[in-house]
């Protein structure tokens, strides 16, 4: 007799007083669902946070993960859950995506995003868009309504107009603290260039925090489908149309039902070179590693020794969640049908 039939027989014969508890236990075993989000990793030190600032960041992370979890709890799809959660983060000036996007060297904003469906590896991505309020939503439209995976710049925005997405002014993404960061980054670049006369060397000399910052979400729904999405404003003072890992499937975003779903945040060039998101899922799929093992190996033993800073959020087909990072902090939150809401910022949490 199959397990599901046996459970049905047992449930039908249970005492009335215990039936509810039994059915809840069985449902939990048969249909796990979970979500994890991140708001970027980097030099995030508790000493630099006032109690008010920490409370505000925690509240926004909690809002995002709860919004996504609500979709899953009602039986919604993982794709809808991660889109919902990421939109909350894109609308917040706290994180480097959407409203809180960093500035390019020329003083504008260029946004990237990607999304992937674990059922069939369908994916959509946009890169270098300047007039899109929600890049993750446009990436979803690319996946659902185009024959392509990645669209960039003006072409992506032409597609957006065809899809009925209103274009907005680029200055809607302006924030004082990001502009101050741009000025500091340019000062450092000019100082280094005066010494080295080399843009590449000068850029490498920038502190790590200027090179990272992303939001993302991964989820498992009640139907057993995984999904991942990532959205970013990129790198402070980036030039020449630079694109990081966030819109690159396999680097910043990856999902397949047979293994796991991953969204990354960090120094994108390293995550692209080492195919971080897909590497983690491959270790789970082909080496039978847990997501904790696979994530730790890639983040702390592959990337860290060669200077690749950042982290990932991972969820597997059983609803397990892992959120490893090799920096002093990572904005993160998670919740599942077996785990209460968790919100973390610093390393020790």
């Amino acid at each position: 007799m199959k397990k599901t039939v046996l459970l049905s027989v047992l449930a039908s014969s249970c005492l009335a007083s215990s039936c509810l508890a039994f059915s809840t236990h069985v449902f939990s075993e048969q249909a796990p669902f979970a979500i994890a989000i991140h708001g970027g990793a980097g030099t995030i030190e508790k000493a630099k946070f006032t109690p008010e600032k920490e409370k505000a960041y925690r509240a926004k992370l909690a809002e995002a993960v709860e919004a996504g979890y609500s979709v899953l709890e009602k039986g919604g799809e993982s794709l809808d859950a991660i889109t919902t959660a990421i939109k909350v983060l894109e609308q917040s000036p706290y994180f480097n995506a959407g409203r809180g996007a960093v500035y390019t060297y020329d003083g504008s904003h260029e946004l990237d995003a990607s999304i992937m469906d674990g059922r069939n590896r369908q994916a959509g991505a946009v890169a270098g868009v300047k007039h899109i309020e929600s890049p993750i939503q446009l990436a979803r439209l690319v996946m659902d309504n185009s024959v392509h995976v990645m669209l960039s710049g003006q072409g992506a925005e032409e597609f957006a107009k065809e899809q009925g997405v209103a274009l907005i002014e680029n200055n809607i993404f302006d924030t004082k603290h990001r502009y101050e960061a741009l000025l500091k980054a340019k000062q450092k670049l000019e100082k280094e260039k005066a010494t080295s006369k080399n843009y590449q060397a000068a850029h490498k000399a920038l502190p790590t925090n200027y090179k990272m910052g992303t939001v993302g979400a991964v989820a498992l729904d009640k139907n057993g489908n995984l999904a991942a999405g990532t959205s970013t404003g990129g790198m402070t003072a980036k030039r020449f149309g630079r694109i990081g890992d966030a819109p690159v499937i396999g680097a910043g975003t990856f999902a397949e039902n047979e293994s796991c779903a991953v969204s990354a945040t960090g120094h994108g060039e390293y995550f692209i070179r080492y195919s971080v998101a897909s590497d983690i899922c491959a270790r789970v799929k082909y080496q039978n590693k847990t997501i904790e093992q696979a994530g730790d190996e890639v983040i702390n033993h592959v990337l860290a020794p060669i200077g690749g800073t950042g982290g990932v959020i991972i969820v597997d087909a059983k609803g397990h969640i892992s959120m490893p990072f090799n920096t002093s902090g990572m904005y993160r939150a998670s919740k599942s049908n077996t785990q209460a809401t968790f919100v973390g910022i610093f390393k020790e949490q």
Side-chain angles (χ1 to χ4, degrees):
M1 184 179 291
K2 293 183 178 180
K3 182 179 179 182
T4 53
V5 176
L6 178 60
L7 289 173
S8 177
V9 172
L10 290 172
S12 65
S13 63
C14 69
L15 295 175
S17 60
S18 61
C19 278
L20 180 60
F22 180 87
S23 62
T24 301
H25 174 68
V26 172
F27 179 76
S28 175
E29 280 192 343
Q30 291 185 331
F33 57 98
I35 184 169
I37 66 167
H38 70 76
T43 308
I44 304 169
E45 299 171 351
K46 190 173 180 64
K48 296 181 180 180
F49 279 72
T50 64
E52 293 77 16
K53 181 180 178 181
E54 182 178 342
K55 182 179 179 181
Y57 272 80
R58 288 183 178 278
K60 187 56 65 174
L61 290 167
E63 178 188 343
V65 79
E66 294 290 353
Y69 184 82
S70 178
V71 173
L72 298 174
E73 191 173 34
K74 295 173 183 176
E77 292 191 352
S78 52
L79 285 168
D80 293 328
I82 63 170
T83 303
T84 298
I86 291 173
K87 279 185 174 181
V88 172
L89 299 174
E90 286 180 334
Q91 286 294 313
S92 171
Y94 298 149
F95 309 104
N96 178 17
R99 300 278 176 153
V102 298
Y103 285 78
T104 67
Y105 189 89
D106 296 325
S108 64
H109 309 275
E110 297 176 357
L111 313 179
D112 310 324
S114 66
I115 193 167
M116 189 168 187
D117 186 343
R119 289 174 293 193
N120 49 23
R121 290 203 186 191
Q122 289 296 306
V126 293
V129 295
K130 296 183 177 182
H131 306 98
I132 302 299
E133 185 172 15
S134 176
I136 194 64
Q137 183 60 49
L138 183 55
R140 176 78 182 270
L141 289 171
V142 172
M143 179 180 71
D144 290 341
N145 299 338
S146 84
V147 296
H148 306 299
V149 171
M150 183 185 290
L151 302 180
S152 66
Q154 183 179 348
E157 294 184 355
E158 289 176 1
F159 172 77
K161 287 190 290 184
E162 286 190 1
Q163 296 297 308
V165 177
L167 302 188
I168 59 174
E169 294 297 323
N170 190 255
N171 62 12
I172 197 172
F173 305 116
D174 290 355
T175 53
K176 182 181 178 181
H177 70 291
R178 298 297 190 195
Y179 185 67
E180 291 172 348
L182 171 65
L183 295 181
K184 291 178 181 178
K186 292 180 76 170
Q187 288 174 356
K188 292 178 182 295
L189 283 171
E190 292 302 316
K191 182 179 179 180
E192 291 295 329
K193 282 172 65 178
T195 303
S196 67
K197 306 295 182 182
N198 183 290
Y199 170 77
Q200 187 176 21
H203 200 276
K204 286 183 176 179
L206 280 177
T208 300
N209 267 16
Y210 290 109
K211 304 172 184 176
M212 52 207 303
T214 317
V215 307
V218 293
L220 169 73
D221 63 32
K222 292 180 180 180
N223 293 318
N225 294 318
L226 292 164
T230 312
S231 181
T232 186
M235 179 186 290
T236 301
K238 63 184 180 181
R239 300 180 71 181
F240 315 119
R242 179 264 186 185
I243 296 170
D245 66 305
V248 179
I249 300 302
T253 302
F254 195 78
E256 63 171 6
N257 285 2
E258 296 79 12
S259 56
C260 59
V262 179
S263 174
T265 171
H267 190 167
E269 279 67 16
Y270 289 91
F271 283 68
I272 293 172
R273 293 177 187 132
Y274 286 83
S275 303
V276 166
S278 60
D279 185 13
I280 290 171
C281 291
R283 290 167 189 255
V284 172
K285 184 176 183 178
Y286 299 117
Q287 298 178 355
N288 295 316
K289 300 285 178 67
T290 66
I291 57 173
E292 289 81 7
Q293 292 171 325
D296 175 66
E297 287 175 0
V298 174
I299 296 301
N300 294 311
H301 301 284
V302 174
L303 288 183
I306 48 98
T309 52
V312 292
I313 50 174
I314 319 167
V315 63
D316 68 12
K318 295 180 180 179
H320 301 137
I321 298 168
S322 184
M323 299 184 285
F325 54 97
N326 59 26
T327 53
S328 60
M330 182 170 78
Y331 300 110
R332 60 203 188 277
S334 62
K335 187 173 185 178
S336 75
N337 62 322
T338 59
Q339 175 210 295
T341 303
F342 166 80
V343 177
I345 297 178
F346 312 110
K347 188 76 171 181
E348 62 273 15
Q349 296 170 324

